[in-house]
Amino acid sequence: MAVLLEEIVQSIELWLKLIKKPQPYVDPSLDPVLLVPGIAGSILKAVDGENGREERVWVRILAAEYKFRTKLWSRFDPTTGKTESLDPKTTVLVPEDRYGLHAIDTLDPDMVIGRDCVYYFHDMIVEMIGWGFQEGKTLFGFGYDFRQSNRLQETLDRFASKLESIYKASGGKKINIISHSMGGLLVKCFMALHSDVFEKYVKNWIAIAAPFQGAPGYITSTFLNGMSFVDGWEQNFFISKWSMHQLLIECPSIYELMASLNFQWEHIPLLEIWRGKLNDGNSSIILESYPPVESVEIFKEALLSNTVNYDGSDIPLPFNMDILKWANETHEVLSRAKVPSQVKFYNIYGTNLETPHSVCYGSKETPVTDLQQLRFCQPNYIYVDGDGTVPVESAKADGLNAEARVGVPGEHRGILCDHHVFRIVKHWLKADHDPYYNPVNDYVILPTAFEIERHKEKGLQVTSLKEEWEIISEDQCHQDNIKPSVSSVSVSHKGDNASREEACATVVVHPPSEGKQHVELNAVSVSVDA
């Protein structure tokens, strides 16, 4: 009986192997694409130097806080520009599975508790495969240790090797780079420092939601209070805001996201503090405002006694002036970057969300009396337009020669799942084969009818024209009981020789329905046959 059952199982397995599974559509004409994530957008593994054992340390859910503190907490080494894990036995690496896509796809595939916190490029990867891209042939990913500086030579060397390997794997085709958030700063640093390599291998660069001039409100509160990558009840299963704060104090990448000092902001981002002071026995409450340069002194005083306990020892973690110096040099590198003549650059930025710009602590009723208490204060924000993290003003100011800059309503991370963005990217990658689509205006004009007729009638030359178009946009609204819009125009001309010309036209614009709007043009021209 057991032998018979085994034969049945083997037969079923053979039958399943013989069934041809549908193969995904592959477009061999497409140029390769490299996806580059932003901060916290890569899976990180810790490798034990003694036994070679690997374990995921970002992102994970079970034992996340403990692994985070023991494996990822770091100190900056000013001699190398690199931040090193406090555990001397630990080396942090990024997995290269699926040609680099695994590390930037679903960041924690083992236990998905919140789509927004664990997905990164997943939706875009799925979408692009549907367009005809193929993993390992025309679709690749570049994950990196996001604790490090965006100009760390070790990272840039890996990036150069990645470009070369993609170029070879695709048969010598130049590469389209799509970066998100801080990934845009990494690409820009590479372009500034290795422009010859960039020009050799890169065809187009599409930056999405890049903080080209920093994320001032978000980073100011990060220095003083930390940041949460997960909101709501999921925080109970993830990294505490305090533990994240202690990591980021020693991360050059965070300092490189500070507000650019040389940028001409429309409104200078400020750190504001309601202070309670005692002068000659009289108490007063004043609102102090500090621009980016002066905010450094506040960071230094507020974090003066900040420490972390690691392996039984208290380690001081003040605001790191060595990292600030390194970051200022990075900003200088970024300011010198230029797009090579053979490369096209495109910029997509998020809009329509309240985005932190300036940060205020305390209030008239509860002023701040001790700056070292700022770490435990809840910040209040002054908001501007942006994607919730990066202001529009910063994201648009790439300082580069851009082919196009397009604003898309969307949230900083969620914009990577936006079908509007997919549509624009698909067009720029020439994967849509649609010559009528214009991403800047975001509509497609499709000619549906064209007729022209000329004839003579009693000495008059009569020309009639009829055209119809459909304008297709993202608008999916239905407007019932709304009449078409009709406009008419008439012109006439009389010359000295008594020649006469007349023309009239009528335009009918029908209400949008299911994203389509129909437009009709009818025109007639009459002139004397000279």
Side-chain angles (χ1 to χ4, degrees):
M1 185 69 176
V3 175
L4 180 60
L5 182 59
E6 185 176 343
E7 290 178 351
I8 293 174
V9 171
Q10 289 176 351
S11 298
I12 293 175
E13 288 178 347
L14 179 61
W15 176 68
L16 289 173
K17 289 179 181 180
L18 291 175
I19 294 178
K20 291 185 177 180
K21 297 180 181 179
Q23 295 297 314
Y25 164 67
V26 175
D27 186 345
S29 68
L30 294 173
D31 293 319
V33 170
L34 175 62
L35 304 176
V36 183
I39 191 166
S42 306
I43 289 175
L44 299 182
K45 289 186 176 182
V47 182
D48 191 310
E50 293 184 347
N51 55 30
R53 181 172 175 266
E54 296 182 6
E55 57 181 337
R56 186 202 308 265
V57 288
W58 181 272
V59 174
R60 62 181 293 148
I61 304 301
L62 301 178
E65 178 88 2
Y66 173 74
K67 295 296 182 183
F68 187 86
R69 295 187 187 190
T70 56
K71 302 297 183 182
L72 283 184
W73 270 357
S74 316
R75 291 301 301 271
F76 177 73
D77 184 349
T79 63
T80 63
K82 187 175 182 179
T83 194
E84 302 278 5
S85 297
L86 291 177
D87 181 0
K89 299 181 299 183
T90 294
T91 301
V92 174
L93 59 78
V94 180
E96 291 291 341
D97 312 55
R98 289 175 50 207
Y99 311 97
L101 293 169
H102 168 70
I104 64 172
D105 187 341
T106 305
L107 300 188
D108 185 25
D110 296 332
M111 183 180 289
V112 178
I113 62 168
R115 174 186 174 89
D116 291 338
C117 72
V118 296
Y119 272 31
Y120 205 94
F121 271 116
H122 178 76
D123 287 55
M124 184 171 285
I125 292 171
V126 171
E127 188 77 16
M128 292 180 72
I129 289 174
W131 300 344
F133 287 91
Q134 183 181 11
E135 294 186 10
K137 293 292 185 182
T138 51
L139 189 56
F140 305 82
F142 182 78
Y144 57 96
D145 185 350
F146 49 81
R147 300 175 302 167
Q148 309 295 344
S149 166
N150 288 291
R151 65 179 175 95
L152 183 69
Q153 193 57 49
E154 182 179 317
T155 304
L156 299 186
D157 288 343
R158 284 187 55 240
F159 193 73
S161 297
K162 189 76 177 184
L163 292 177
E164 183 180 7
S165 65
I166 295 173
Y167 184 78
K168 291 178 179 178
S170 61
K173 289 185 176 181
K174 284 196 170 185
I175 301 155
N176 297 294
I177 296 176
I178 300 178
S179 64
H180 176 252
S181 189
M182 192 181 76
L185 301 188
L186 189 154
V187 174
K188 193 177 182 183
C189 279
F190 184 88
M191 187 174 69
L193 296 171
H194 303 281
S195 60
D196 55 338
V197 179
F198 197 84
E199 186 169 25
K200 179 180 179 181
Y201 294 123
V202 178
K203 181 177 183 179
N204 301 307
W205 170 27
I206 302 172
I208 302 176
F212 284 112
Q213 302 300 332
Y218 195 66
I219 295 303
T220 294
S221 60
T222 293
F223 278 127
L224 296 173
N225 310 109
M227 71 168 70
S228 295
F229 285 99
V230 183
D231 295 321
W233 64 271
E234 292 98 334
Q235 292 185 53
N236 299 320
F237 300 91
F238 203 54
I239 313 299
S240 70
K241 199 171 183 179
W242 179 83
S243 291
M244 188 67 72
H245 181 235
Q246 303 302 72
L247 172 77
L248 299 179
I249 291 290
E250 289 290 306
C251 288
S253 57
I254 292 296
Y255 289 68
E256 291 167 353
L257 293 175
M258 294 173 71
S260 176
L261 301 180
N262 298 321
F263 180 60
Q264 298 298 313
W265 295 91
E266 182 179 355
H267 301 289
I268 298 175
L270 300 172
L271 169 57
E272 298 186 324
I273 306 173
W274 285 98
R275 298 285 296 273
K277 293 189 176 182
L278 190 65
N279 295 317
D280 299 327
N282 298 318
S283 61
S284 62
I285 300 174
I286 61 173
L287 178 63
E288 298 177 343
S289 296
Y290 302 92
V293 174
E294 298 175 14
S295 298
V296 171
E297 292 302 317
I298 302 299
F299 296 148
K300 287 169 63 177
E301 187 169 347
L303 299 172
L304 189 62
S305 60
N306 185 51
T307 60
V308 63
N309 187 279
Y310 184 84
D311 199 24
S313 301
D314 287 331
I315 300 174
L317 287 182
F319 184 79
N320 197 314
M321 295 302 293
D322 286 330
I323 300 182
L324 180 63
K325 179 182 177 183
W326 178 278
N328 287 338
E329 292 171 357
T330 300
H331 287 154
E332 287 295 319
V333 169
L334 290 169
S335 69
R336 297 194 301 268
K338 295 185 183 301
V339 179
S341 60
Q342 300 302 312
V343 179
K344 291 184 177 180
F345 168 69
Y346 302 86
N347 185 348
I348 298 175
Y349 55 91
T351 66
N352 284 25
L353 287 180
E354 290 188 333
T355 302
H357 182 69
S358 293
V359 185
C360 183
Y361 288 90
S363 65
K364 263 188 176 182
E365 295 72 26
T366 56
V368 175
T369 56
D370 182 358
L371 289 181
Q372 294 193 26
Q373 294 301 310
L374 288 178
R375 289 178 293 160
F376 312 106
C377 293
Q378 185 69 24
N380 296 304
Y381 297 109
I382 297 172
Y383 295 99
V384 294
D385 186 28
D387 61 19
T389 299
V390 181
V392 164
E393 186 179 10
S394 172
K396 286 178 68 175
D398 46 66
L400 303 171
N401 182 22
E403 299 295 316
R405 297 182 182 90
V406 180
V408 176
E411 185 270 335
H412 185 68
R413 182 74 66 84
I415 201 170
L416 291 178
C417 308
D418 188 279
H419 285 275
H420 186 169
V421 171
F422 292 160
R423 188 181 185 191
I424 295 170
V425 169
K426 187 177 184 181
H427 181 76
W428 285 339
L429 296 178
K430 301 189 184 309
D432 63 348
H433 311 294
D434 184 355
Y436 295 105
Y437 178 55
N438 182 349
V440 176
N441 296 316
D442 190 40
Y443 57 75
V444 180
I445 299 179
L446 294 178
T448 58
F450 178 83
E451 296 178 12
I452 187 169
E453 181 182 347
R454 293 186 178 91
H455 68 275
K456 290 184 179 181
E457 185 177 325
K458 296 181 180 180
L460 300 178
Q461 179 73 37
V462 180
T463 303
S464 62
L465 172 70
K466 178 182 179 182
E467 287 194 51
E468 295 183 15
W469 307 278
E470 275 189 354
I471 300 176
I472 305 174
S473 67
E474 288 292 300
D475 184 9
Q476 298 294 324
C477 65
H478 298 270
Q479 299 181 356
D480 298 326
N481 301 320
I482 297 179
K483 295 181 179 180
S485 173
V486 181
S487 297
S488 298
V489 62
S490 297
V491 294
S492 62
H493 171 72
K494 291 183 179 180
D496 295 337
N497 60 356
S499 64
R500 181 167 57 90
E501 293 183 12
E502 293 181 359
C504 60
T506 302
V507 179
V508 182
V509 181
H510 296 273
S513 176
E514 298 183 352
K516 296 182 179 181
Q517 190 166 28
H518 197 75
V519 180
E520 302 174 24
L521 168 66
N522 291 281
V524 176
S525 173
V526 180
S527 62
V528 174
D529 187 0

